[in-house]
Amino acid sequence: LEEDIELVIAATAEVQGSTRFPKLLKLVLQLGNALNAGSAKGGAQGFKISNLMKLAQTKTNHGTTLLAYLVSSMEKSNPDMLQLEHEFPSTKESARKSGNQMTTDFKKLERGVALVENVIKSGLAQGDSSFKKLEPFRDDSKAKLGRLTA
């Protein structure tokens, strides 16, 4: 779980630190505004990230997709933009991770730490000092959980 979270954090940092990604989004916005010029949707200040999928689905009058048109335009005017994928070495593997599964795993860890805590308290309450040996494990586990939520 810790490795998965670190991978997602690395991918997020790559996207946030990208110099090409904001330029690509600007090109997409300009393309959308050019296509929608004269309509209520023209002159937009932004778009939903989920709408990026439409680039691969929407066809031009020549039968190519808007995505193919955008790539072709970048090849001619700004070939450096085609190196965008190299700014995101962690995103492909990160995208395979399930947020729901990581949440489920985290909750299991929380329950496990709480169970250890209760076992220690119960054992010590019954006068069995051998349960003190579990305290370093409990403390380490709590610290790791704390780092995962930070």
Side-chain angles (χ1 to χ4, degrees), residues 109 112-113 115-117 120 131-144:
L109 287 173
V113 170
L115 179 62
V116 169
E117 179 83 40
I120 292 171
F131 283 93
K132 281 193 165 288
K133 293 178 182 177
L134 290 174
E135 288 177 339
F137 171 77
R138 177 208 53 207
D139 296 342
D140 184 51
S141 297
K142 280 183 165 182
K144 284 182 180 179

Side-chain angles (χ1 to χ4, degrees), residues 44-82:
Q45 299 294 310
F47 59 90
K48 294 178 182 176
I49 292 292
S50 60
N51 288 338
L52 288 174
M53 294 300 293
K54 292 180 182 178
L55 290 173
Q57 299 164 351
T58 306
K59 300 221 178 203
T60 67
N61 292 338
H62 303 293
T64 61
T65 64
L66 287 177
L67 180 59
Y69 171 79
L70 186 62
V71 169
S72 176
S73 296
M74 287 190 301
E75 284 175 335
K76 294 173 189 168
S77 64
N78 198 349
D80 179 62
M81 287 293 293
L82 299 176

Side-chain angles (χ1 to χ4, degrees), residues 13-146:
E14 291 165 7
V15 171
Q16 290 175 331
S18 172
T19 57
R20 292 179 182 104
F21 191 54
K23 293 175 186 175
L24 174 63
L25 295 177
K26 184 177 180 180
L27 288 172
V28 171
L29 180 62
Q30 290 171 340
L31 177 62
N33 281 336
L35 292 171
N36 292 315
S39 76
K41 292 183 179 180
Q45 299 294 310
F47 59 90
K48 294 178 182 176
I49 292 292
S50 60
N51 288 338
L52 288 174
M53 294 300 293
K54 292 180 182 178
L55 290 173
Q57 299 164 351
T58 306
K59 300 221 178 203
T60 67
N61 292 338
H62 303 293
T64 61
T65 64
L66 287 177
L67 180 59
Y69 171 79
L70 186 62
V71 169
S72 176
S73 296
M74 287 190 301
E75 284 175 335
K76 294 173 189 168
S77 64
N78 198 349
D80 179 62
M81 287 293 293
L82 299 176
Q83 300 303 312
L84 176 67
E85 70 178 295
H86 300 295
E87 292 186 3
F88 305 136
S90 303
T91 54
K92 187 178 269 188
E93 188 179 348
S94 173
R96 292 187 191 120
K97 303 300 176 187
S98 166
N100 289 339
Q101 185 61 51
M102 286 191 288
T103 299
T104 299
D105 291 347
F106 182 80
K107 288 180 180 179
K108 285 179 184 176
L109 287 173
E110 281 183 318
R111 287 192 300 271
V113 170
L115 179 62
V116 169
E117 179 83 40
N118 289 335
V119 166
I120 292 171
K121 284 180 183 177
S122 175
L124 292 175
Q126 294 176 13
D128 188 346
S129 63
S130 65
F131 283 93
K132 281 193 165 288
K133 293 178 182 177
L134 290 174
E135 288 177 339
F137 171 77
R138 177 208 53 207
D139 296 342
D140 184 51
S141 297
K142 280 183 165 182
K144 284 182 180 179
L145 281 175

